Amino acid sequence: RYLAMDWILHIDERQITVDDDNLSQRYVMALVAFSLDSLAWYACGEHRDYDNGGEEFVVEDCEVQNMATSQYESHKIWLSRADECEWYGVICSNDGVVKGVELSKFVSSRVGIHSMCHLL
């Protein structure tokens, strides 16, 4: 929980305020990301890149091939400044409320599901 709160307060480039309607939603999504080690995900996971001087910066865009259509789809990585509804695998309503996460895109073992259950 500390990592998610620290990210919201100090790292998240959106720097949303306490009265923002998305604060709770963004915090919960950050909990999911840190609990399931989002940097290690095969698709849209590792998002750090380095320029020639070795300075770290964030790459927000990712492309994932849709296995049903063989087409590539553009998404945003988790823990980016993009709205959480744009993050890969997040399902939202038309008014921007997170309705679910397609866990099968990230979690291939019971260990990941077990980690998710601790969030509840």
Side-chain angles (χ1 to χ4, degrees), residues 40-80:
W41 293 343
Y42 176 73
C44 297
E46 178 63 61
H47 58 272
R48 293 173 292 189
D49 203 349
Y50 300 90
D51 67 5
N52 291 336
E55 184 177 336
E56 182 179 332
F57 64 96
V58 175
V59 176
E60 291 193 353
D61 298 317
C62 68
E63 285 194 347
V64 178
Q65 187 175 18
N66 182 324
M67 294 304 166
T69 66
S70 296
Q71 299 293 318
Y72 281 89
E73 300 172 348
S74 295
H75 299 278
K76 299 293 183 187
I77 53 120
W78 282 55
L79 302 178
S80 67

Side-chain angles (χ1 to χ4, degrees), residues 9-60:
L9 293 173
H10 304 291
I11 301 169
D12 186 7
E13 293 182 32
R14 289 195 74 184
Q15 290 298 295
I16 55 179
T17 60
V18 72
D19 60 342
D20 191 304
D21 291 339
N22 279 16
L23 178 61
S24 299
Q25 176 172 283
R26 198 159 178 86
Y27 173 68
V28 169
M29 298 312 292
L31 280 174
V32 171
F34 284 108
S35 295
L36 297 179
D37 192 14
S38 65
L39 288 176
W41 293 343
Y42 176 73
C44 297
E46 178 63 61
H47 58 272
R48 293 173 292 189
D49 203 349
Y50 300 90
D51 67 5
N52 291 336
E55 184 177 336
E56 182 179 332
F57 64 96
V58 175
V59 176
E60 291 193 353

